Amino acid sequence: PAKATRARRLVQKMQALSAAGCSSCEPDLYTYQTWIHACSRTRGGVPQTMQILNYLEDQAAAGNHALRPNTHCLAAAIHAWAYSYEPYKAERAYELLQDMRQRYEIYGQTFCRLNVVVFTSVINACVKPATEEERSAAFDIAQRTFDELVDSPYGNPNFLTYAAFLHVCATALDEGSVAREAAI
């Protein structure tokens, strides 16, 4: 939590200085993106990560288009889910992937272009499901995400993608179950 706490304090200081008239201290998208990144690397950082992401969405909706979340912000949020012990983390990460896909493919928001890192982060969110009941769904999401990457124009799976998928196989499949055939 120290990274996220320090980042929050710095951003709050920048916001206060900006409000006091120091325009050169106004936090920009890169500032918030870096803050999300710090939170995403902290256990328990999901709530703060999602709070920052929602703040950026609200700012963009209010007309501050310079603060629209981009690929880096959303990828860091997916990583926060992957790094967490939260229930349904695989589902939440996959929902963010689908949100990015919709932004890019349907609404033409080129700043939300998907890439192999985003897909791999979703697969990482399927590793070590929080409960036994989530194991099958987590494996299915990992399989679906891998297949979507293979069939996409966003790049090919790399060694990290394969490693993540293997880690899902090791943690989300039951010892005695017959593994469904992966598309790898």
Side-chain angles (χ1 to χ4, degrees):
K3 288 185 256 186
T5 301
R6 285 185 179 177
R8 178 181 45 80
R9 287 183 189 147
L10 284 171
V11 172
Q12 287 173 335
K13 185 173 185 171
M14 290 175 71
Q15 289 169 329
L17 288 168
S18 176
C22 181
S23 62
S24 65
C25 290
E26 183 175 356
D28 62 3
L29 183 61
Y30 184 74
T31 304
Y32 290 105
Q33 176 181 307
T34 304
W35 185 14
I36 290 172
H37 183 80
C39 293
S40 75
R41 303 303 193 257
T42 304
R43 293 280 184 208
V46 168
Q48 191 169 17
T49 296
M50 297 311 293
Q51 183 179 15
I52 300 163
L53 196 57
N54 290 333
Y55 170 78
L56 294 175
E57 294 285 2
D58 291 346
Q59 291 296 304
N64 188 351
H65 299 293
L67 291 183
R68 285 191 296 196
N70 61 15
T71 297
H72 302 289
C73 295
L74 293 160
I78 290 170
H79 181 81
W81 282 107
Y83 197 63
S84 78
Y85 294 115
E86 298 283 331
Y88 307 106
K89 64 183 186 165
E91 287 87 347
R92 301 301 170 257
Y94 188 74
E95 287 169 5
L96 283 170
L97 172 72
Q98 295 311 311
D99 180 50
M100 287 181 72
R101 174 176 278 139
Q102 184 176 26
R103 290 171 190 240
Y104 182 72
E105 293 177 359
I106 295 173
Y107 299 116
Q109 296 178 355
T110 57
F111 51 88
C112 285
R113 188 176 197 289
L114 289 90
N115 57 43
V116 67
V117 173
V118 173
F119 284 89
T120 302
S121 291
V122 173
I123 294 169
N124 273 319
C126 300
V127 173
K128 296 182 185 175
T131 66
E132 289 295 315
E133 294 79 33
E134 295 176 50
R135 290 171 68 142
S136 179
F139 182 82
D140 289 344
I141 289 169
Q143 179 74 61
R144 186 175 332 127
T145 303
F146 186 90
D147 292 344
E148 287 175 11
L149 175 59
V150 168
D151 295 334
S152 80
Y154 304 118
N156 294 314
N158 61 26
F159 73 98
L160 293 172
T161 312
Y162 282 97
F165 194 85
L166 287 169
H167 202 184
V168 171
C169 292
T171 63
L173 289 175
D174 292 326
E175 183 76 30
S177 71
V178 175
R180 287 159 280 188
E181 186 174 320
I184 46 180

